[in-house]
Amino acid sequence: MGLFILRRTGVMILTALCLTFIVFFLTNLYPNLEKLAKTQGNFRMSDEAVASWLGNNGYLQPLPVKYGQWLGVAPGWTHETDEGITGRCLRGTATAEEAAAAPRFCGILQGDWGYSTVFRDEVSGIISTRLGLTGKLMFWVLVLMVPSALIVGVLAGMREGSPLDRSLSTFSIITTATPEYVSGVIFIAVFASSAVGLKWFKGTATSAMESANFENFFLPVLTIALYGMGYIARMTRASMTEVMTAQYIRTARLKGVTFRNIVMKHALRNALIAPFTVIMLQFPWLLNGVVIVETLFNYKGFGWTLVQAAGNNDIELLLAVSVVSVIVVLATQLISDIGYVYLNPRIRIS
Amino acid sequence: MEPLGWIEIITRVLYQFTSVWVALVILFAVSAAFKRRLGLYGKLFDSPIGMIGFALVMFWVFTGVFGALDLIVTHDPLSQVSGMKNKVPGTPLRGAEAGDYAWYLLGGDNLARDVFSRMVKGAWVVVQIAPLATLFAFMVGITLGLPAGYYGGRLDTFLSFLANLILAFPVILLFYLLVTPEIVNTGVPNYMAAVLFVFPIVFLAVLLNSRYYTQPKFRTPLLIGVLGVAFWLYLSLISTDGYLVNSKTITIPALPQILDLFDIPGGILVVFVSVVFVNSPTVFRIVRGLAMDIKTRDYVAAAQTRGEGPWYIMLWEILPNARGPLIVDFCLRIGYTTILLGTLGFFGLGLPPESPDWGSTINEGRKLLSIYLHPALPPALALLSLVLGLNLLADGLREESLKD
């Protein structure tokens, strides 16, 4: 088991390295750098001005060197101008003494995530605040999604083919067929617009960043939860119907155990192993939903940051965002594998 | 002229779809009459869920096709009519002339364009791209997934690592990295298109060669013919105006313009490539899993004992026996591709901003959603019903293919 986790962690680090290198390569293509220079400087810069701006800010070094600097395995660049010294490890222009005092290496290995050109702030600070906001959203999504999906799945699966099963299955198919940007738009139209006039909830969740309450936070949570819910419910239903046809359920039934007890005591625990994996593997999907919903409801969390960083070619912020999302994706895969082994005695013992 | 009431709007909308209704009725009547001779497709007509799904899907397919032929649309989807900005459904057209349709059936959007016509034209965008992109993703996934599952070992480890790498990207980040105008300028999507579109040719070549290599007299002309056409299509697909990439820094010539069969507008090619790229790793994983399962069967062992080559076994023994799950996944994946296309439009990536595709229309409509509902809701409901239809169709197919 220890070796298994070790190997998976190795693969995870290798994947993260490859992935960040791809992001690094794509964001450092010259047209992207040109756009960055123009948004940072001004839009009417001549080609020479762009080149000199990029040179002054260390963007024109060879790609592997820049990647090494970002990682923290190569010394950061410095550039001397008339006003002072600029460099990777310095913020703004500094004097010679300050430059000498600054550390030589400053990459993510040293805990320095760099500087965001859009928000003009430290990347690590931005990422942690935004992740906190998204964490709040995700927490409520899980609180709403997991229990309701499991209940729908178990209710549908305990009597296969019954009217209850048919209607719940239709419901779950409809939710899987509704992407967030469709359900979100419909919810806003029905519950928040002045055209219909219900106005039960608010159409934006900006105020939920400070104080979340039912009125401003329920719609975004519901929008993300619904899309993921149908899939989990269908998996639960499939696993439940399989368990309900097993031999030991028939034995229990022949012994005269009540249907209620069969479901609660014999079937439920075995039926919930498969959905566990599915729930864990839903996390990467939820990440996608988060980006859409945060854009739609203007909730300035992690997904919103991704859109801002990508839209403005904010290289270091974008790299940090991709590192975080890769870790989320791969860590959930690892947890789901370990959890599956742990929950399923047949695999655990052999 | 009076604005229309709701009942009249609905009647008129239904009337505009006349050609679609006729086509649907003919299709269903013919299929139901011959359903016993049509294999899995015919069996679909035994399951009510599958039939509803198929009807929804075919409704949008016919709408797309007839919409492109200008049978359904009432106005030009791009032209703006003054005075029709954000007007509610059923508003009479201001200054209508004799030939014009006299109303905006589903109202006007914030640029005073007809919502109904844009929705119908949007169906054509989806019908053009989604099935074809899914097909390409399947070609890539099958060509790589079969050997990975069949041989296993180093090849499998390497290919699976690549697939997991792509899957670890958040889809939206990948779209933002691939589909911005700056990246398009560097030609990265064109290189990716050149690589990804090779796979169908490889697939066809291996498929035919492994089957007919014992009859060289038949095989050689067949391969020359099929591959010649495929290669020509491939070159026309990847080259625009005679170049593979034509930017300030790099120019790579490809097929001369005289031989170029068709041009794909730049935006659509990029969208197409990125959707194929995102979908193929998942297909790869499914095919690999199926191949690993099926290669232990007796008929594969029998083929190996007969001395068949590995590619014959993969393509003519394993692949046909994996068709059930693959067909079901194909339907689901077209739905997922539709959702991805909508996502691209929603973030304003790839397609030109005035394009009538559903994602872009929803994105434009959502900005004024608290006051005007009608520009955003029709495309949203259209997308919902198409994806729902594909899901129901997949469910029906799964049910029917499990029966035998």
Side-chain angles (χ1 to χ4, degrees), chain B residues 227-249:
Chain B
L227 290 187
V229 172
F231 201 63
W232 191 10
L233 287 177
Y234 168 75
L235 285 179
S236 332
L237 203 60
I238 58 167
S239 55
T240 25
D241 302 335
Y243 297 100
L244 172 60
V245 184
N246 190 10
S247 65
K248 270 183 287 179
T249 43

Side-chain angles (χ1 to χ4, degrees), chain B residues 204-214 219 222-223 316:
Chain B
L204 272 180
V206 179
L207 184 78
L208 294 174
N209 187 44
S210 63
R211 180 81 169 138
Y212 294 112
Y213 74 104
T214 44
R219 186 237 3 216
L222 180 77
L223 271 187
W316 293 94

Side-chain angles (χ1 to χ4, degrees), chain A residues 247-260:
Chain A
Q247 296 286 336
Y248 61 88
I249 296 291
R250 201 170 62 177
T251 313
R253 193 172 276 190
L254 291 175
K255 278 195 313 191
V257 183
T258 56
F259 187 70
R260 200 190 132 85

Side-chain angles (χ1 to χ4, degrees), chain A residues 274-311:
Chain A
F276 171 77
T277 343
V278 177
I279 293 171
M280 292 315 293
L281 293 179
Q282 277 280 321
F283 269 92
W285 281 74
L286 288 180
L287 206 66
N288 250 331
V290 162
V291 179
I292 295 172
V293 165
E294 285 183 358
T295 312
L296 185 62
F297 287 92
N298 205 16
Y299 182 81
K300 291 172 180 153
F302 185 70
W304 183 83
T305 314
L306 190 158
V307 173
Q308 294 300 319

Side-chain angles (χ1 to χ4, degrees), chain B residues 18 87 99 213 226 231 259 300 319:
Chain B
T18 314
K87 284 287 185 285
Y213 74 104
V226 170
F231 201 63
L259 295 174
V300 173
L319 190 59

Side-chain angles (χ1 to χ4, degrees), chain B residues 88-104:
Chain B
V88 293
T91 310
L93 190 64
R94 185 178 297 176
E97 287 166 22
D100 293 343
Y101 195 82
W103 295 275
Y104 267 13

